[in-house]
Amino acid sequence: MAQSTDLDLINLVKRFGSHAAVNDVSFSVAPGEFFSILGPSGCGKTTLMRMIAGFEDPTSGDIRIRGRSMIGVPANKRPVNMVFQSLALFPMMSVGENVAYGLTCRGISRAEAEERANRMLERVGLKGFGERRVTALSGGQRQRVAIARCLVLEPTLVLLDEPLGALDLKLREHMKIELKQLQATFNTTFAYITHDQSEALVMSDRVAVMNQGRFEQVGSPRELYHHPATPFVASFVGETNRWQGEASAASGGTISVRLPSGAVIQGQGKVADRAMLAFVRPEAIALAQDPSALGGLPNRFEGRVSAVLFDGANSSLLIDTAGFEEPVRAVLPQAGPLAGIQVGAPVHVGWTADAMKVFAA
Amino acid sequence: MSTRPGLRLTLFLLLAPAVLWLGLLIVLPHVEILILSFSERVAPRIYVFGFGNYLEFFTEPLYWRTFARTAIMSILVTALTLVLAFPIALYIARVAQGRLKAMLLLLCLLPFWVSELVRTLGWMMLLRETGVVSHGLQAIGLTGERIEFLYNDGAVILGLVYGGLLFMIVPLANALESLEPAVVEAGFDLGGSRWIVLRRIVVPHAMPGIVAGSIIVFMLTVGNFATPVLLGGKNGLWFTEQIYAQFITRFNWPQGAAFGMLLLLLSSAIVWAGLRLTGQSLGTTLKQA
């Protein structure tokens, strides 16, 4: 029977004393998929990855790679290779020896290993770098050596442990695209862990959001962004406005939330409770000078610009709005009638009920 | 401008202890010994310049055989110390944590709080015919008569390895400590067995420490006097004994000086060869030690 998944985790638990670092996690990764695990530091994602790699033993549960259980299989016998956070290149070896290392460990002759290493270096754009010392490479080149060192072994699964963390911003943006392209050309399954939501959203086919040892939600980047399943996902993935209040009315999926000030806002949610959290993305907030332009929106408020946070395409406005304790965050319009809006300018804000996600707190 | 003489004086005063130390205790005696080694006695109290003392070394088999034996045994002792110290250093540097690590290093250091002579006498109490080991073996019935463990090469090597162990462990542990854990894990992750990871990652990383420790232990061993004399007895035959005999027993200072120079040349040559063989430079090695 053809195996339809490369990696299956089944009710995986890892306890350190009484603390459960990984708490009953199950998921499957399909062949050729780019799967990311996104979570804040300390959420257990590194422990999870180290269990897949074979450096930690799970307390209970099973790890299966192409259907074969990995429990009791040592790290050096698993068809899994890891790109470490620090890259962990071997400084005592040349670039070529680094890439050939895994092959020679398998008993492949030195000459053949060297040839295959050179071919791999060529594919990752490091042709002719075989003789160099790893210390003589730039950050991006070292990154590619670390990946080439794994890919040359043709593993079922490549694990990547925040490999872009140490790079500067420009290079990180570049490497995101390059990693995605590499993964597509080699068609290898990648499992990527990161705390950087942009890395996860840009590169992944599917993302799992992890918090306190559990998966909060698994889905495509779009699903996570537009349809967060839990308040944690809503606030962790992407920029958002977040308000607390209590449900005052609910009908057919639309919930009205009364803020402490008495203002009522309408959004979508499943459960109505006394304590509610409401989330709206800054880009979902419509701005207008004239209240009539926002006529059709159920949520309409009047405010005054309190700050302009200019950051190129990511610029935003903070708007002091009547009824809200904290300023409302909206995207800075850089074209149209509101372009060039200044601090202190009066403005009307509004959003649809669809754009606001409401959860029981 | 007025501060310059003051500055000079400060510099001079700061350098004085080092200059005096090097000049009076190291350079001066060696120059003296070098000159002495080239003087031959032609009549009572009459000396002339000549190579006779060095020729004597090559014509008398006892001298150069002892010399060669000292060199070979010292290399053997260094190698044995390295093999013994490596797993200990590996454990201290990579497995032990916090208090345990400090405790283990202290335990290695502890024997050095007593003098070398006392430590060697301790070994004698264990190994001699009426000693602890001999009695123990008789008590459990492995042997019917007393056994002499002293006064052979084994006892000498044992004593020297024991004395060198600490000086190997410390630079080794230092070198191993700087090895990033992720690098070792990567070695396993890419399919390396324990042996491959040790041979291709851990040992090359520890090389400066290995060389530094080996140089120190070799120097200490070649120049050791008490241990071969006490544990080896008549069979010790260490080259330092020959130097001692020339200076003290035979009162032939020029001959002793020539032997001293030869020993210095020997250890320098072997250290140089060791550095060349392992491709290490003296600079990086000294940093590690």
Side-chain angles (χ1 to χ4, degrees), chain B residues 190-242:
Chain B
L190 294 165
S193 61
R194 278 166 175 275
W195 169 242
I196 290 176
V197 171
L198 184 71
R199 189 170 55 85
R200 295 195 56 189
I201 295 165
V202 180
V203 169
H205 179 89
M207 212 28 135
I210 293 174
V211 174
S214 299
I215 288 177
I216 298 170
V217 170
F218 178 79
M219 296 281 211
L220 286 173
T221 307
V222 153
N224 201 317
F225 179 72
T227 308
V229 168
L230 291 173
L231 298 181
K234 272 189 302 193
N235 301 320
L237 287 177
W238 216 249
F239 197 65
T240 45
E241 287 172 40
Q242 297 294 341

Short mmCIF file of all heavy atoms in Angstrom, two decimals, chain B residues 190-242:
data_model
loop_
_atom_site.label_atom_id
_atom_site.label_comp_id
_atom_site.label_asym_id
_atom_site.label_seq_id
_atom_site.Cartn_x
_atom_site.Cartn_y
_atom_site.Cartn_z
N LEU B 190 23.28 13.50 10.80
CA LEU B 190 23.60 13.21 9.40
C LEU B 190 24.05 11.77 9.22
O LEU B 190 24.55 11.40 8.15
CB LEU B 190 24.67 14.18 8.90
CG LEU B 190 24.19 15.64 8.82
CD1 LEU B 190 25.36 16.59 8.68
CD2 LEU B 190 23.21 15.82 7.69
N GLY B 191 23.91 10.96 10.24
CA GLY B 191 24.14 9.53 10.08
C GLY B 191 25.43 9.01 10.69
O GLY B 191 25.76 7.85 10.50
N GLY B 192 26.17 9.87 11.40
CA GLY B 192 27.43 9.42 11.97
C GLY B 192 27.24 8.51 13.18
O GLY B 192 26.37 8.77 14.00
N SER B 193 28.04 7.45 13.28
CA SER B 193 28.03 6.63 14.48
C SER B 193 28.85 7.34 15.55
O SER B 193 29.51 8.34 15.26
CB SER B 193 28.65 5.27 14.18
OG SER B 193 29.98 5.45 13.76
N ARG B 194 28.82 6.81 16.79
CA ARG B 194 29.61 7.41 17.86
C ARG B 194 31.08 7.52 17.47
O ARG B 194 31.74 8.52 17.69
CB ARG B 194 29.52 6.54 19.12
CG ARG B 194 28.29 6.80 19.91
CD ARG B 194 28.08 5.70 20.93
NE ARG B 194 26.95 6.01 21.77
CZ ARG B 194 27.02 6.76 22.86
NH1 ARG B 194 28.17 7.24 23.26
NH2 ARG B 194 25.94 7.02 23.56
N TRP B 195 31.58 6.47 16.87
CA TRP B 195 32.99 6.43 16.49
C TRP B 195 33.30 7.49 15.44
O TRP B 195 34.31 8.20 15.53
CB TRP B 195 33.32 5.01 16.00
CG TRP B 195 34.65 4.89 15.34
CD1 TRP B 195 34.89 4.52 14.05
CD2 TRP B 195 35.94 5.14 15.92
NE1 TRP B 195 36.23 4.55 13.80
CE2 TRP B 195 36.91 4.92 14.93
CE3 TRP B 195 36.36 5.54 17.20
CZ2 TRP B 195 38.26 5.07 15.15
CZ3 TRP B 195 37.72 5.71 17.42
CH2 TRP B 195 38.65 5.47 16.42
N ILE B 196 32.43 7.62 14.43
CA ILE B 196 32.67 8.61 13.37
C ILE B 196 32.62 10.02 13.94
O ILE B 196 33.47 10.86 13.63
CB ILE B 196 31.64 8.45 12.23
CG1 ILE B 196 31.90 7.16 11.45
CG2 ILE B 196 31.69 9.65 11.28
CD1 ILE B 196 30.88 6.86 10.38
N VAL B 197 31.63 10.28 14.81
CA VAL B 197 31.52 11.62 15.40
C VAL B 197 32.76 11.94 16.23
O VAL B 197 33.32 13.03 16.15
CB VAL B 197 30.24 11.73 16.26
CG1 VAL B 197 30.23 13.03 17.05
CG2 VAL B 197 29.00 11.65 15.39
N LEU B 198 33.24 10.93 16.98
CA LEU B 198 34.44 11.13 17.80
C LEU B 198 35.65 11.45 16.91
O LEU B 198 36.39 12.39 17.13
CB LEU B 198 34.72 9.87 18.63
CG LEU B 198 35.89 9.96 19.59
CD1 LEU B 198 35.55 10.88 20.76
CD2 LEU B 198 36.29 8.60 20.11
N ARG B 199 35.82 10.63 15.86
CA ARG B 199 37.02 10.71 15.03
C ARG B 199 37.00 11.95 14.12
O ARG B 199 38.02 12.59 13.92
CB ARG B 199 37.10 9.45 14.17
CG ARG B 199 38.38 9.27 13.41
CD ARG B 199 38.45 7.88 12.81
NE ARG B 199 37.30 7.58 11.98
CZ ARG B 199 37.19 7.92 10.69
NH1 ARG B 199 38.15 8.57 10.09
NH2 ARG B 199 36.11 7.62 10.02
N ARG B 200 35.82 12.29 13.59
CA ARG B 200 35.80 13.36 12.59
C ARG B 200 35.39 14.71 13.15
O ARG B 200 35.59 15.74 12.51
CB ARG B 200 34.87 12.97 11.44
CG ARG B 200 35.42 11.75 10.70
CD ARG B 200 34.76 11.56 9.37
NE ARG B 200 34.85 12.74 8.52
CZ ARG B 200 34.20 12.87 7.37
NH1 ARG B 200 33.42 11.91 6.96
NH2 ARG B 200 34.33 13.94 6.65
N ILE B 201 34.75 14.73 14.33
CA ILE B 201 34.29 16.01 14.85
C ILE B 201 34.93 16.34 16.20
O ILE B 201 35.53 17.40 16.35
CB ILE B 201 32.75 16.02 14.96
CG1 ILE B 201 32.17 15.93 13.54
CG2 ILE B 201 32.26 17.29 15.63
CD1 ILE B 201 30.73 15.58 13.48
N VAL B 202 34.83 15.42 17.15
CA VAL B 202 35.28 15.75 18.51
C VAL B 202 36.80 15.86 18.57
O VAL B 202 37.35 16.86 19.05
CB VAL B 202 34.77 14.72 19.54
CG1 VAL B 202 35.24 15.08 20.93
CG2 VAL B 202 33.24 14.65 19.51
N VAL B 203 37.51 14.85 18.06
CA VAL B 203 38.97 14.87 18.14
C VAL B 203 39.57 16.05 17.35
O VAL B 203 40.41 16.77 17.89
CB VAL B 203 39.58 13.51 17.72
CG1 VAL B 203 41.07 13.61 17.56
CG2 VAL B 203 39.23 12.46 18.77
N PRO B 204 39.14 16.29 16.09
CA PRO B 204 39.71 17.45 15.40
C PRO B 204 39.46 18.75 16.13
O PRO B 204 40.32 19.63 16.18
CB PRO B 204 38.99 17.46 14.04
CG PRO B 204 38.55 16.07 13.84
CD PRO B 204 38.25 15.51 15.19
N HIS B 205 38.29 18.87 16.76
CA HIS B 205 38.01 20.10 17.50
C HIS B 205 38.94 20.23 18.71
O HIS B 205 39.38 21.32 19.04
CB HIS B 205 36.55 20.13 17.97
CG HIS B 205 36.22 21.36 18.75
ND1 HIS B 205 35.78 22.51 18.15
CD2 HIS B 205 36.33 21.64 20.06
CE1 HIS B 205 35.61 23.44 19.07
NE2 HIS B 205 35.93 22.94 20.24
N ALA B 206 39.23 19.08 19.34
CA ALA B 206 40.04 19.10 20.57
C ALA B 206 41.54 19.14 20.28
O ALA B 206 42.34 19.20 21.20
CB ALA B 206 39.71 17.89 21.42
N MET B 207 41.92 19.12 19.00
CA MET B 207 43.33 19.00 18.63
C MET B 207 44.25 20.00 19.35
O MET B 207 45.28 19.58 19.88
CB MET B 207 43.49 19.11 17.11
CG MET B 207 44.62 18.29 16.55
SD MET B 207 45.03 16.83 17.47
CE MET B 207 45.19 15.63 16.23
N PRO B 208 43.91 21.29 19.38
CA PRO B 208 44.81 22.20 20.11
C PRO B 208 45.00 21.78 21.56
O PRO B 208 46.12 21.85 22.08
CB PRO B 208 44.09 23.55 20.02
CG PRO B 208 43.19 23.44 18.85
CD PRO B 208 42.79 22.00 18.77
N GLY B 209 43.93 21.31 22.21
CA GLY B 209 44.03 20.84 23.60
C GLY B 209 44.85 19.58 23.71
O GLY B 209 45.64 19.42 24.65
N ILE B 210 44.68 18.68 22.74
CA ILE B 210 45.45 17.44 22.75
C ILE B 210 46.94 17.75 22.65
O ILE B 210 47.77 17.22 23.42
CB ILE B 210 45.02 16.53 21.58
CG1 ILE B 210 43.59 16.03 21.80
CG2 ILE B 210 45.99 15.36 21.39
CD1 ILE B 210 43.02 15.24 20.64
N VAL B 211 47.29 18.65 21.72
CA VAL B 211 48.69 18.98 21.52
C VAL B 211 49.25 19.71 22.74
O VAL B 211 50.34 19.38 23.22
CB VAL B 211 48.87 19.81 20.23
CG1 VAL B 211 50.31 20.27 20.09
CG2 VAL B 211 48.47 18.99 19.02
N ALA B 212 48.47 20.66 23.28
CA ALA B 212 48.94 21.40 24.45
C ALA B 212 49.19 20.46 25.62
O ALA B 212 50.27 20.48 26.24
CB ALA B 212 47.91 22.47 24.85
N GLY B 213 48.22 19.59 25.90
CA GLY B 213 48.37 18.64 27.00
C GLY B 213 49.54 17.71 26.78
O GLY B 213 50.31 17.43 27.70
N SER B 214 49.70 17.25 25.55
CA SER B 214 50.79 16.32 25.25
C SER B 214 52.15 16.98 25.45
O SER B 214 53.07 16.36 25.98
CB SER B 214 50.67 15.81 23.81
OG SER B 214 49.45 15.13 23.65
N ILE B 215 52.26 18.24 25.02
CA ILE B 215 53.55 18.93 25.19
C ILE B 215 53.88 19.05 26.68
O ILE B 215 54.99 18.72 27.11
CB ILE B 215 53.51 20.33 24.54
CG1 ILE B 215 53.51 20.19 23.02
CG2 ILE B 215 54.71 21.17 24.99
CD1 ILE B 215 53.40 21.50 22.28
N ILE B 216 52.89 19.47 27.46
CA ILE B 216 53.14 19.66 28.90
C ILE B 216 53.54 18.33 29.54
O ILE B 216 54.54 18.24 30.25
CB ILE B 216 51.90 20.24 29.60
CG1 ILE B 216 51.57 21.61 29.01
CG2 ILE B 216 52.14 20.35 31.10
CD1 ILE B 216 50.23 22.16 29.45
N VAL B 217 52.75 17.29 29.27
CA VAL B 217 53.02 15.99 29.90
C VAL B 217 54.37 15.44 29.44
O VAL B 217 55.15 14.91 30.25
CB VAL B 217 51.88 14.99 29.59
CG1 VAL B 217 52.25 13.58 30.02
CG2 VAL B 217 50.60 15.42 30.28
N PHE B 218 54.66 15.61 28.17
CA PHE B 218 55.94 15.10 27.67
C PHE B 218 57.12 15.81 28.35
O PHE B 218 58.07 15.16 28.80
CB PHE B 218 56.02 15.28 26.15
CG PHE B 218 57.33 14.83 25.58
CD1 PHE B 218 57.57 13.48 25.37
CD2 PHE B 218 58.31 15.74 25.28
CE1 PHE B 218 58.78 13.05 24.87
CE2 PHE B 218 59.53 15.32 24.78
CZ PHE B 218 59.76 13.98 24.58
N MET B 219 57.03 17.12 28.43
CA MET B 219 58.10 17.90 29.07
C MET B 219 58.28 17.47 30.52
O MET B 219 59.40 17.27 30.98
CB MET B 219 57.74 19.39 29.06
CG MET B 219 57.64 19.98 27.69
SD MET B 219 59.27 20.33 27.03
CE MET B 219 58.89 21.73 26.00
N LEU B 220 57.16 17.35 31.25
CA LEU B 220 57.23 16.96 32.66
C LEU B 220 57.84 15.57 32.80
O LEU B 220 58.60 15.31 33.73
CB LEU B 220 55.83 16.96 33.27
CG LEU B 220 55.20 18.31 33.57
CD1 LEU B 220 53.76 18.12 34.02
CD2 LEU B 220 55.99 19.04 34.64
N THR B 221 57.49 14.67 31.87
CA THR B 221 57.94 13.29 31.96
C THR B 221 59.43 13.16 31.65
O THR B 221 60.19 12.53 32.40
CB THR B 221 57.12 12.41 31.01
OG1 THR B 221 55.74 12.62 31.28
CG2 THR B 221 57.46 10.96 31.18
N VAL B 222 59.83 13.79 30.55
CA VAL B 222 61.24 13.71 30.16
C VAL B 222 62.14 14.26 31.27
O VAL B 222 63.19 13.70 31.57
CB VAL B 222 61.46 14.49 28.84
CG1 VAL B 222 62.87 15.00 28.74
CG2 VAL B 222 61.14 13.61 27.65
N GLY B 223 61.69 15.34 31.89
CA GLY B 223 62.53 15.99 32.89
C GLY B 223 62.31 15.46 34.30
O GLY B 223 62.88 15.98 35.25
N ASN B 224 61.45 14.45 34.45
CA ASN B 224 61.15 13.94 35.79
C ASN B 224 62.37 13.22 36.37
O ASN B 224 63.15 12.62 35.66
CB ASN B 224 59.96 12.98 35.72
CG ASN B 224 59.28 12.84 37.08
OD1 ASN B 224 59.96 12.72 38.09
ND2 ASN B 224 57.97 12.86 37.07
N PHE B 225 62.50 13.30 37.71
CA PHE B 225 63.64 12.63 38.32
C PHE B 225 63.19 11.67 39.42
O PHE B 225 63.52 10.49 39.41
CB PHE B 225 64.59 13.70 38.90
CG PHE B 225 65.78 13.12 39.58
CD1 PHE B 225 66.80 12.52 38.84
CD2 PHE B 225 65.90 13.16 40.97
CE1 PHE B 225 67.90 11.98 39.46
CE2 PHE B 225 67.00 12.61 41.60
CZ PHE B 225 67.99 12.01 40.84
N ALA B 226 62.36 12.18 40.32
CA ALA B 226 61.99 11.38 41.50
C ALA B 226 61.25 10.10 41.12
O ALA B 226 61.56 9.02 41.64
CB ALA B 226 61.15 12.23 42.44
N THR B 227 60.26 10.21 40.23
CA THR B 227 59.42 9.04 39.94
C THR B 227 60.22 7.87 39.35
O THR B 227 60.13 6.75 39.87
CB THR B 227 58.26 9.45 39.02
OG1 THR B 227 57.60 10.56 39.61
CG2 THR B 227 57.28 8.33 38.82
N PRO B 228 61.03 8.08 38.29
CA PRO B 228 61.79 6.93 37.77
C PRO B 228 62.78 6.39 38.79
O PRO B 228 62.99 5.18 38.88
CB PRO B 228 62.53 7.51 36.56
CG PRO B 228 61.90 8.80 36.25
CD PRO B 228 61.22 9.28 37.48
N VAL B 229 63.39 7.26 39.59
CA VAL B 229 64.38 6.79 40.57
C VAL B 229 63.70 5.95 41.65
O VAL B 229 64.15 4.85 41.96
CB VAL B 229 65.11 7.99 41.21
CG1 VAL B 229 65.90 7.55 42.43
CG2 VAL B 229 66.04 8.63 40.19
N LEU B 230 62.59 6.46 42.19
CA LEU B 230 61.95 5.77 43.31
C LEU B 230 61.19 4.53 42.86
O LEU B 230 61.25 3.49 43.50
CB LEU B 230 61.02 6.73 44.06
CG LEU B 230 61.72 7.84 44.82
CD1 LEU B 230 60.71 8.82 45.37
CD2 LEU B 230 62.59 7.26 45.93
N LEU B 231 60.44 4.62 41.76
CA LEU B 231 59.63 3.48 41.33
C LEU B 231 60.41 2.52 40.45
O LEU B 231 60.06 1.35 40.36
CB LEU B 231 58.38 3.96 40.59
CG LEU B 231 57.40 4.83 41.40
CD1 LEU B 231 56.20 5.20 40.55
CD2 LEU B 231 56.94 4.11 42.65
N GLY B 232 61.46 3.02 39.79
CA GLY B 232 62.22 2.16 38.88
C GLY B 232 63.47 1.58 39.54
O GLY B 232 64.01 0.59 39.08
N GLY B 233 63.92 2.24 40.60
CA GLY B 233 65.13 1.78 41.27
C GLY B 233 66.30 1.74 40.29
O GLY B 233 66.49 2.64 39.47
N LYS B 234 67.07 0.65 40.36
CA LYS B 234 68.22 0.49 39.46
C LYS B 234 67.77 0.39 38.01
O LYS B 234 68.49 0.73 37.09
CB LYS B 234 68.99 -0.77 39.84
CG LYS B 234 70.03 -0.53 40.89
CD LYS B 234 70.88 -1.76 41.06
CE LYS B 234 70.01 -2.95 41.43
NZ LYS B 234 70.70 -4.13 41.91
N ASN B 235 66.51 -0.14 37.81
CA ASN B 235 66.03 -0.32 36.45
C ASN B 235 65.37 0.93 35.89
O ASN B 235 64.85 0.91 34.78
CB ASN B 235 65.01 -1.47 36.40
CG ASN B 235 65.65 -2.75 36.90
OD1 ASN B 235 66.79 -3.03 36.59
ND2 ASN B 235 64.90 -3.51 37.68
N GLY B 236 65.36 2.00 36.67
CA GLY B 236 64.71 3.23 36.20
C GLY B 236 65.37 3.76 34.94
O GLY B 236 64.71 4.01 33.95
N LEU B 237 66.70 3.88 35.01
CA LEU B 237 67.49 4.32 33.86
C LEU B 237 66.87 5.50 33.12
O LEU B 237 66.56 5.40 31.95
CB LEU B 237 67.71 3.16 32.90
CG LEU B 237 68.71 2.09 33.36
CD1 LEU B 237 68.77 0.96 32.35
CD2 LEU B 237 70.09 2.69 33.58
N TRP B 238 66.64 6.57 33.85
CA TRP B 238 66.10 7.80 33.24
C TRP B 238 67.26 8.72 32.95
O TRP B 238 68.24 8.73 33.69
CB TRP B 238 65.11 8.44 34.19
CG TRP B 238 63.94 9.10 33.50
CD1 TRP B 238 63.69 10.43 33.44
CD2 TRP B 238 62.91 8.44 32.80
NE1 TRP B 238 62.56 10.64 32.72
CE2 TRP B 238 62.05 9.45 32.32
CE3 TRP B 238 62.60 7.10 32.50
CZ2 TRP B 238 60.91 9.18 31.56
CZ3 TRP B 238 61.48 6.83 31.76
CH2 TRP B 238 60.64 7.86 31.29
N PHE B 239 67.20 9.50 31.89
CA PHE B 239 68.36 10.29 31.52
C PHE B 239 68.69 11.35 32.57
O PHE B 239 69.86 11.72 32.74
CB PHE B 239 68.14 10.94 30.14
CG PHE B 239 69.41 11.41 29.52
CD1 PHE B 239 70.41 10.52 29.16
CD2 PHE B 239 69.64 12.77 29.31
CE1 PHE B 239 71.59 10.94 28.59
CE2 PHE B 239 70.83 13.21 28.75
CZ PHE B 239 71.81 12.29 28.39
N THR B 240 67.67 11.83 33.29
CA THR B 240 67.95 12.81 34.35
C THR B 240 68.86 12.22 35.41
O THR B 240 69.63 12.94 36.04
CB THR B 240 66.64 13.27 35.01
OG1 THR B 240 65.83 12.13 35.27
CG2 THR B 240 65.88 14.24 34.13
N GLU B 241 68.78 10.90 35.61
CA GLU B 241 69.66 10.26 36.59
C GLU B 241 71.13 10.39 36.16
O GLU B 241 72.02 10.54 36.98
CB GLU B 241 69.33 8.77 36.73
CG GLU B 241 68.03 8.51 37.47
CD GLU B 241 67.64 7.03 37.41
OE1 GLU B 241 68.53 6.17 37.53
OE2 GLU B 241 66.44 6.77 37.19
N GLN B 242 71.35 10.27 34.84
CA GLN B 242 72.72 10.41 34.32
C GLN B 242 73.25 11.81 34.58
O GLN B 242 74.41 12.00 34.94
CB GLN B 242 72.74 10.12 32.81
CG GLN B 242 72.34 8.71 32.44
CD GLN B 242 73.34 7.68 32.94
OE1 GLN B 242 74.49 8.00 33.27
NE2 GLN B 242 72.90 6.43 33.02
#
